[in-house]
Amino acid sequence: MSPSWTPEKLVRYAPLWPVLTAGLAGILGVVGLAMASGADPRLTAWMVLLVAGATGLVAWHVAEQVRAMAPAAEAATRPAHEDAPPYASLINALPDPVLVIAAHEPDDLTGRRFVLVNAAARETFRIQYDAGLLVTAIRDPEVLEAVDEALFGGLTAEAVYEMRGAQERVLRAIAKPLGVAPDGARLALLVLRDETDIRRSERMRADFLANASHELRTPLASLSGFIETLRGHARADEGAREKFLGIMQAQAERMARLIDDLLSLSRIELNEHIAPEGEADLTAAVMDVVDGVGPLARERNVKLVTDLPCRGEAMVAGDRDQIIQVVQNLVDNAIKYTPAGATVRISLRAGLSAEAAAAARNPSASRMSLLTPDHGPDIYAALQVTDSGVGLARETLPRLTERFYRVEGQKSGERQGTGLGLAIVKHIMNRHRGGLVVESVQGEGATFTAYFPMQRGARGDARLTTEGAVTKLS
């Protein structure tokens, strides 16, 4: 089968043509000389074969060199972008949100459109289309002003974009000009870098110092006064010494609890915008907490009543240690504010919609949502802890999750705490993309409801209901 000689091959093997031409001329020369001199035909044939062989050997060597150099030559002449992945794929692979903005007229404030968005931008701003109005995704005036400077001023501009919502995020917006499109529109590149971790670290250090210095001042002053008294006129008073040492120990333990809670709260806040990985059995977590607080409940003569589904029916997405901390804080508070001889009720329901999980249980109760998640298609498992205490006044409900806030009249005696328990609960629930609701009737007690998104593997086992019942799929 004869080879097909394309123009590209003819150009590639151009170095062979001089060799073949010289060989053909040599053969013709030998034949012509032999005919002119009357040489023996056999000698002439041998000379022709010799010249043809030499020509073939040289041609083979040149062809091998050409063949060896062909890939490198093709790579050098091939367009640089031919083997590169499409630029849209490269932009989609970037972890930071990226948008390409186009606009024609500076005065047309609604004419700023995004014409390209990567996957990170779609997720961050919940963009569902390939192109659209910029204000449908970003409405922050400072970011829009930075985009205008890049579009019509030809300058690189920056702005700080604080995204509000259940999980606050801080982004650094950087806008750079990209020139003019073929249709005359001006183009700009908008890149947003997540600086939430940096800002949270700075705020965590400032808050820790401010809170620690404020809350530790009183017990430290108390300790200092008792030490001065023990070193002075109460040095030989054994009864006073025992009394003061007991108070000093209680103050030292309170400071230790305060520092532990502050550190725990700071760690949770630092990673609050990052959803936890893993899964936990909420039923098992509640049972572990109930077993752990059993001695305290018996000591206070408080009865614990539980209503829980079977193990494995309330699998939630999250960090098991933090989930146990939520249950622990809620149950501890309920025991703390329940009088002797009364009951603390702990119930758990799975397979709820967000609305059903946060729905009111007692129409006559004062109710407030302390944390509302950004609702999606999730289904939830709701934990309810109800005490039999004096209840909470309506005006106190908005402040329950503030740091160091304690309800008036419940700040002393055995009920004294650090005032950080519910703040920790709220931030853990926010990190888990869950919700927190409180209901209270004065004189009858309070109910706290914490609802967690169920783990995706467990969601297929339960049909979503608005009443909260779990129906097994057949």
Side-chain angles (χ1 to χ4, degrees):
M1 184 176 181
S2 60
S4 58
W5 289 95
T6 62
E8 291 78 7
K9 287 186 177 181
L10 291 173
V11 173
R12 181 192 303 173
Y13 289 98
L16 283 176
W17 309 138
V19 176
L20 297 177
T21 302
L24 181 59
I27 293 173
L28 294 175
V30 169
V31 173
L33 181 62
M35 292 178 62
S37 61
D40 187 353
R42 289 178 295 179
L43 178 60
T44 300
W46 280 108
M47 292 179 65
V48 168
L49 289 174
L50 180 61
V51 173
T55 301
L57 182 61
V58 174
W60 176 82
H61 180 69
V62 171
E64 287 298 314
Q65 288 185 328
V66 169
R67 191 178 296 109
M69 292 187 296
E74 289 180 0
T77 58
R78 186 185 301 128
H81 60 80
E82 187 174 309
D83 289 336
Y87 71 94
S89 299
L90 296 176
I91 294 177
N92 269 328
L94 295 175
D96 293 329
V98 176
L99 301 91
V100 176
I101 315 299
H104 286 85
E105 299 295 336
D107 296 333
D108 185 7
L109 299 180
T110 61
R112 281 67 165 160
R113 300 178 60 85
F114 58 85
V115 295
L116 176 66
V117 290
N118 69 345
R122 291 177 184 274
E123 180 180 357
T124 301
F125 302 110
R126 299 178 182 177
I127 297 174
Q128 300 179 354
Y129 305 101
D130 296 330
L133 294 178
L134 179 60
V135 293
T136 61
I138 302 175
R139 295 185 177 89
D140 186 84
E142 294 185 2
V143 177
L144 297 177
E145 183 178 348
V147 171
D148 280 356
E149 290 185 15
L151 285 171
F152 304 106
L155 302 174
T156 298
E158 296 187 9
V160 176
Y161 181 28
E162 296 185 3
M163 296 183 64
R164 303 298 181 183
Q167 290 80 34
E168 293 185 359
R169 295 177 64 186
V170 180
L171 305 176
R172 171 75 61 179
I174 305 171
K176 294 188 176 184
L178 291 180
V180 181
D183 63 353
R186 295 179 179 272
L187 300 176
L189 179 70
L190 180 62
V191 180
L192 298 108
R193 295 176 180 169
D194 196 335
E195 295 185 351
T196 307
D197 288 342
I198 299 174
R199 298 299 180 96
R200 285 185 182 274
S201 297
E202 294 173 352
R203 188 172 64 185
M204 181 188 71
R205 288 193 293 268
D207 288 348
F208 182 85
L209 291 174
N211 294 327
S213 62
H214 177 267
E215 291 295 319
L216 292 176
R217 186 178 291 115
T218 299
L220 284 174
S222 177
L223 287 174
S224 178
F226 286 129
I227 291 172
E228 183 178 350
T229 301
L230 289 174
R231 297 181 66 180
H233 62 273
R235 180 191 300 269
D237 189 337
E238 184 174 347
R241 184 169 64 248
E242 290 299 321
K243 176 182 177 181
F244 292 159
L245 287 175
I247 298 174
M248 291 170 65
Q249 181 179 0
Q251 293 290 348
E253 291 174 351
R254 179 174 181 270
M255 285 194 296
R257 290 195 305 271
L258 178 64
I259 292 174
D260 288 342
D261 285 350
L262 279 173
L263 289 174
S264 177
L265 183 58
S266 297
R267 284 192 296 267
I268 295 165
E269 285 185 311
L270 184 62
N271 297 317
E272 190 171 342
H273 63 292
I274 303 174
E277 298 179 354
E279 63 177 351
D281 187 340
L282 193 51
T283 299
V286 173
M287 293 175 66
D288 289 345
V289 171
V290 170
D291 290 342
V293 301
L296 176 62
R298 288 190 292 271
E299 179 184 337
R300 294 176 178 266
N301 193 23
V302 172
K303 184 179 180 182
L304 299 178
V305 176
T306 60
D307 179 14
L308 308 175
C310 298
R311 290 177 181 264
E313 292 187 2
M315 301 299 296
V316 297
D319 183 319
R320 188 176 189 276
D321 290 339
Q322 290 188 350
I323 290 173
I324 286 181
Q325 192 171 7
V326 167
V327 181
Q328 181 82 47
N329 287 3
L330 293 179
V331 174
D332 279 346
N333 277 351
I335 294 175
K336 187 186 302 181
Y337 296 116
T338 296
T343 300
V344 170
R345 300 184 180 277
I346 305 168
S347 65
L348 179 60
R349 297 179 301 157
L352 303 177
S353 67
E355 292 75 14
R361 311 300 175 201
N362 186 350
S364 62
S366 300
R367 177 182 176 277
M368 184 173 184
S369 176
L370 302 175
L371 174 65
T372 303
D374 296 329
H375 293 331
D378 291 327
I379 61 175
Y380 296 83
L383 169 70
Q384 286 185 324
V385 180
T386 303
D387 64 55
S388 303
V390 296
L392 301 165
R394 180 187 296 272
E395 60 271 15
T396 66
L397 300 186
R399 301 192 60 189
L400 289 178
T401 55
E402 291 182 11
R403 295 186 183 201
F404 308 114
Y405 178 75
R406 291 185 289 272
V407 178
E408 196 67 34
Q410 298 179 350
K411 298 182 179 179
S412 59
E414 294 180 353
R415 294 174 178 171
Q416 187 173 8
T418 63
L420 293 173
L422 288 177
I424 291 174
V425 168
K426 178 180 178 180
H427 287 286
I428 291 178
M429 295 306 302
N430 194 27
R431 184 181 181 224
H432 284 72
R433 285 26 177 187
L436 182 64
V437 179
V438 59
E439 293 184 15
S440 179
V441 177
Q442 283 192 281
E444 298 182 13
T447 297
F448 285 86
T449 302
Y451 52 100
F452 298 83
M454 294 187 67
Q455 210 278 337
R456 292 189 180 276
R459 296 173 194 175
D461 298 334
R463 181 175 288 111
L464 180 62
T465 68
T466 56
E467 296 79 18
V470 177
T471 304
K472 290 295 182 181
L473 293 178
S474 57

